[in-house]
Amino acid sequence: MSEEIRLTFPDGVVRALPNGIRAGDALREWAPRRSPSFLAALVDGAPVDLDRPIVQDAQLAPVTFEDRVGREILQHSSAHLVAKALVETIPDARPTVGPPTDDGFYYDFDVRPLTPADLDAVRAAMDAAVRAREPFHRRELGREEAERLFTHNPYKLRYIADTPVGAPISVYDTGRFVDLCRGPHVPDTGWLQGVHVLGFSAITTEKAEPGRALQRVRGIGFPTREALAEYLKLRTEAEARDHRTLGQRLELFTFFDESPGFPAILPNGIVVLRELERFVREHLDEAGYREVRTPLLFSQSLYETSGHWDHYRENMFLTEADGRMFGWKPMNCPGSMLIFRSRARSYRELPMRLAEFAPLHRLEASGTLHGLTRVREFVQDDAHLFVTEEQIEPEVRTLLDWIGRAFSTFRLKWTYELSTRPAQFLGDPAVWDRAESVLERILKDSGIEYKVSPGEGAFYGPKIDCHLRDSLGRPWQTGTVQLDYQLPLRFGLQYQGPDGQLHTPVVIHRTILGSLERFLGILLEHTGGRLPPWLAPVQARVLPVTEAQSGAAQGLAEELSADHLRVEVATTEESLSKRVRTAEVERIPYVLVLGEKEMAGGSVALRVRGSKETRSLSRPELRSYLGQKVRERAFDP
RNA sequence: GCCACUGUAGCUCAGCGGCAGAGCGGCUGAUUCGUAAUCAGCAGGUCGGGGGUUCAAAUCCCUCCAGUGGCUCCA
């Protein structure tokens, strides 16, 4: 064994350093100033602890919180800290796993149900450990020794049993807490000042012993206390944008105890939904769609044909009548299939694009309901495109293009997901493979970035989904394009081709905004209730300064109403400031003030939402300004 | 559906075994006001529903309903 090893650093520098030098020491030699931010190291690309000795020539690189690996190490170390604190609080708790996630970490325990008091105790124990700066110390054990150490923890024993023979079995000591873990970790708990426990909940998992739920503690770690404070501030702000609060305050929608999961849309909310529908319908008219309306209830036999009876029944509202079972439609597709089949079809009719805005009913599990984003009754801007094989590609491209343009109108950021064949599916796997590859090729050709979600497809076909995030970063599916070779077969759909033969069409299921209710919820959180002027329930409010201008105010309101603007007058019982404030609180895009000055000059003082400034405009200028903003569907007022 | 928590006036919340409260909103009156809250008065509650414990329950217990955060599931 040689005395020195050659280490190559990311900038290409090669150094000869003592054999057995710790990774952290070597990195400090290389970059003394930056080294305090290094929380782990990469040796030949593999993450290791900073105190790991290096015993051969290697590529050595630092890991900081800026790196994905670094963030994961910090989250995972934070999970260890939670486990240590929880075991100190409840000694018979059995830790299972504590991985990093996309936005933080969790640790699952086999333990009695937790209480908020437990969480306080855990937080206190975590603080104490952070102050004590306890090192994370790695040990590698033999299999038997490891099994002895975790005799009382069947979960850890299972992980040990699952470790391949020959692979190292490592544990980490943090103070007196020992956890089975591959590592690596931050050097000590002093790095974990920015850890925050978010909450706990029971989870159902096959990992738990039968009939037993695990308790999951969730949290998030930041490199510093300041970064955590910043996150908590953003979170508080996000909570203020919660669409459920805004919906109530702006009188858009409400819920009744007597109908959980069924939104009641108030007059203001109807205005917004109608504008959204109009937005979509304009596209339908331009793009050659025909709108239809199919029944809300269908008999069991229809759902047997469509496959819903076998694959979706537990999510359906059922109703018995005339001694037959009927189901409230959870999707529009079966009705569209029946329309296509209702007479002989020619290839000349394809692509046949049928749109439908019908209320859909899905018996979602009670615990999953959430404001407007997860409901039991909703309307989609739905459509079914009956196409030939050759028409798939141009139609899907057009759809992706239009989804992008629609979301851009709202300045939303979205991601695409390709969802493939689920465990329960209809039809021939080979046909599925073909459909999946068609969608994938279109995504690739368009240069669209996307994620693959294996097994997340609909039971009748693969799909491309668009996901929007709410103010707390939770993703929600909205627009979707689904390729379906199954339902046309099951319904026996046929058209006569130019060759005189009968052919089976392919169906594309698609939505743009998805559920209009869900879309409204996300849009409210995205805008903080400051809807674009074209969507605002009240677009402008006219404020006469004194009684003397109330006639003129009425006149202005009428003039603007004639331009199809939604205008109100706020009478002078309240002070001007109060009325301005109220308009701002109600998120009204335009406030128009008429006082003596304006009367003398024939002008209007325009105050735009969110701005302290006012502008003096002539009436024609005002009308053209407001008209343009609304007509062009401008995002900002 | 599962686990935990929460439910008091239209809204936000205080009260947590001994007389049901505040602010905002609403109504009435006064004020006619120049860009984010004028002043005063009044009304408004089976303390989510039902059951129990207690001399006494908004308060403690049970149960049902609804909501919140996760889990599972999903547009």
Side-chain angles (χ1 to χ4, degrees):
Chain A
M1 171 162 142
S2 63
E3 302 265 312
E4 289 197 325
I5 51 173
R6 290 165 60 80
L7 295 179
T8 310
F9 293 92
D11 55 1
V13 167
V14 181
R15 289 236 186 153
L17 290 164
N19 193 346
I21 188 172
R22 293 171 192 277
D25 293 335
L27 286 167
R28 200 168 309 122
E29 293 271 327
W30 167 66
R33 272 211 310 278
R34 289 204 295 133
S35 63
S37 68
F38 299 163
L39 51 82
L42 292 176
V43 174
D44 292 332
V48 300
D49 299 307
L50 288 180
D51 64 0
R52 176 79 71 94
I54 308 177
V55 294
Q56 56 188 6
D57 293 356
Q59 306 266 347
L60 184 63
V63 173
T64 71
F65 188 71
E66 306 302 315
D67 312 317
R68 186 183 165 77
V69 182
R71 275 196 298 275
E72 287 182 359
I73 290 171
L74 189 90
Q75 301 305 335
H76 181 53
S77 298
S78 302
H80 266 246
L81 178 62
V82 168
K84 171 183 157 60
L86 192 126
V87 170
E88 284 170 7
T89 308
I90 308 173
D92 67 355
R94 290 182 290 191
T96 70
V97 282
T101 62
D102 285 346
D103 38 24
F105 64 87
Y106 63 81
Y107 208 119
D108 291 343
F109 301 91
D110 185 341
V111 63
R112 64 166 167 78
L114 298 175
T115 67
D118 292 329
L119 219 53
D120 290 340
V122 166
R123 288 193 174 107
M126 286 168 63
D127 285 344
V130 168
R131 275 196 303 275
R133 304 188 74 92
E134 291 172 326
F136 282 93
H137 178 63
R138 179 189 176 94
R139 282 188 285 153
E140 290 192 5
L141 304 180
R143 191 166 294 260
E144 280 176 24
E145 195 182 351
E147 283 170 355
R148 258 199 317 279
L149 194 55
F150 293 103
T151 312
H152 303 293
N153 190 326
Y155 303 93
K156 297 292 182 187
L157 289 178
R158 204 174 314 154
Y159 298 129
I160 293 170
D162 289 345
T163 308
V165 179
I169 296 176
S170 58
V171 299
Y172 278 77
D173 298 295
T174 321
R176 285 162 57 195
F177 174 69
V178 190
D179 200 359
L180 181 75
C181 180
R182 228 177 276 126
H185 283 290
V186 296
D188 64 63
T189 54
W191 285 73
L192 306 176
Q193 300 190 353
V195 175
H196 180 66
V197 175
L198 288 164
F200 60 89
S201 64
I203 57 156
T204 38
T205 165
E206 70 283 1
K207 279 187 319 202
E209 288 165 16
R212 216 176 143 81
L214 297 184
Q215 303 288 316
R216 171 168 297 180
V217 178
R218 291 182 321 115
I220 185 164
F222 292 91
T224 61
R225 268 187 227 285
E226 292 69 40
L228 171 62
E230 179 64 18
Y231 165 80
L232 291 174
K233 197 177 128 219
L234 284 177
R235 206 180 144 88
T236 308
E237 284 169 11
E239 277 160 13
R241 289 204 307 271
D242 190 314
H243 78 275
R244 293 164 299 185
T245 315
L246 286 168
Q248 177 180 272
R249 229 176 53 208
L250 303 178
E251 295 193 40
L252 295 164
F253 57 88
T254 189
F255 287 90
F256 307 126
D257 281 4
E258 293 83 352
S259 198
F262 287 67
I265 311 296
L266 302 172
N268 286 341
I270 289 291
V271 172
V272 184
L273 289 178
R274 268 173 50 177
E275 289 291 352
L276 286 176
E277 285 177 24
R278 194 149 68 120
F279 175 64
V280 173
R281 282 196 170 101
E282 278 178 21
H283 165 68
L284 297 183
D285 292 343
E286 287 163 14
Y289 285 73
R290 313 293 308 280
E291 194 170 332
V292 298
R293 191 186 306 161
T294 66
L296 289 185
L297 266 70
F298 283 104
S299 70
Q300 177 179 337
S301 59
L302 180 278
Y303 295 114
E304 283 167 357
T305 304
S306 69
H308 285 85
W309 195 254
D310 285 339
H311 295 274
Y312 207 79
R313 190 186 350 172
E314 63 282 5
N315 276 307
M316 284 170 56
F317 284 97
L318 299 175
T319 293
E320 214 190 287
D322 293 342
R324 300 164 71 185
M325 191 58 84
F326 288 84
W328 294 75
K329 66 176 172 186
M331 303 173 190
N332 289 313
C333 21
S336 287
M337 302 293 148
L338 293 184
I339 289 187
F340 187 93
R341 202 176 64 180
S342 63
R343 67 164 169 78
R345 299 291 176 182
S346 148
Y347 74 96
R348 295 174 199 275
E349 294 179 78
L350 306 187
M352 186 164 115
R353 310 181 186 90
L354 298 181
E356 178 160 13
F357 292 68
L360 303 178
H361 295 83
R362 299 185 186 177
L363 182 52
E364 301 291 354
S366 58
T368 63
L369 302 176
H370 182 93
L372 287 186
T373 45
R374 189 73 184 274
V375 294
R376 285 177 167 172
E377 181 186 69
F378 58 97
V379 176
Q380 289 180 330
D381 58 340
D382 205 1
H384 295 88
L385 282 59
F386 298 82
V387 300
T388 65
E389 192 88 25
E390 299 73 48
Q391 288 165 343
I392 293 173
E393 201 162 321
E395 288 296 324
V396 172
R397 281 181 199 284
T398 304
L399 287 170
L400 291 180
D401 181 55
W402 207 75
I403 289 175
R405 278 197 286 149
F407 286 172
S408 300
T409 304
F410 303 98
R411 294 213 194 140
L412 289 159
K413 292 203 182 347
W414 69 97
T415 55
Y416 291 103
E417 229 168 76
L418 174 64
S419 300
T420 59
R421 191 173 72 230
Q424 271 211 347
F425 65 96
L426 294 180
D428 176 359
V431 175
W432 273 84
D433 290 346
R434 195 168 79 221
E436 286 170 11
S437 65
V438 168
L439 290 182
E440 186 141 31
R441 195 181 68 239
I442 293 171
L443 284 169
K444 284 213 171 105
D445 287 357
S446 320
I448 289 173
E449 268 187 50
Y450 64 96
K451 190 184 122 188
V452 178
S453 294
E456 295 295 314
F459 66 81
Y460 46 74
K463 54 185 188 168
I464 297 171
D465 293 328
C466 296
H467 292 250
L468 298 175
R469 285 180 180 267
D470 69 15
S471 58
L472 286 177
R474 291 173 289 217
W476 296 98
Q477 187 189 313
T478 56
T480 181
V481 177
Q482 312 180 347
L483 207 45
D484 180 3
Y485 288 85
Q486 308 304 333
L487 292 188
L489 280 175
R490 294 179 72 103
F491 278 87
L493 304 190
Q494 289 183 318
Y495 65 91
Q496 193 162 24
D499 55 2
Q501 303 296 306
L502 291 176
H503 303 270
T504 302
V506 180
V507 166
I508 301 170
H509 307 242
R510 77 101 183 97
T511 66
I512 303 290
L513 305 181
S515 151
L516 297 179
E517 290 83 352
R518 172 178 287 183
F519 187 80
L520 171 59
I522 290 168
L523 190 59
L524 285 172
E525 306 207 348
H526 175 61
T527 58
R530 293 172 186 84
L531 294 169
W534 63 281
L535 288 173
V538 176
Q539 294 166 319
R541 186 170 283 167
V542 186
L543 275 47
V545 175
T546 70
E547 196 67 50
Q549 295 87 36
S550 58
Q554 203 57 50
L556 176 59
E558 278 163 23
E559 198 179 325
L560 294 174
S561 296
D563 289 346
H564 303 289
L565 290 168
R566 298 182 287 271
V567 193
E568 290 177 357
V569 176
T571 54
T572 59
E573 282 103 31
E574 289 172 325
S575 70
L576 184 67
S577 311
K578 177 67 179 287
R579 285 177 284 156
V580 167
R581 177 178 191 274
T582 304
E584 198 68 48
V585 168
E586 291 177 15
R587 312 286 198 238
I588 294 171
Y590 304 107
V591 167
L592 310 170
V593 176
L594 281 180
E596 252 177 57
K597 250 187 305 182
E598 287 72 25
M599 298 313 293
S603 65
V604 178
L606 169 68
R607 180 188 162 119
V608 174
R609 183 177 63 200
S611 156
K612 306 248 182 251
E613 324 262 291
T614 64
R615 267 192 282 169
S616 182
L617 297 180
S618 72
R619 287 195 177 204
E621 282 169 345
L622 177 74
R623 287 174 61 178
S624 115
Y625 178 80
L626 298 186
Q628 189 184 355
K629 286 285 187 184
V630 170
R631 202 169 46 246
E632 292 179 355
R633 296 201 168 98
F635 183 77
D636 291 317

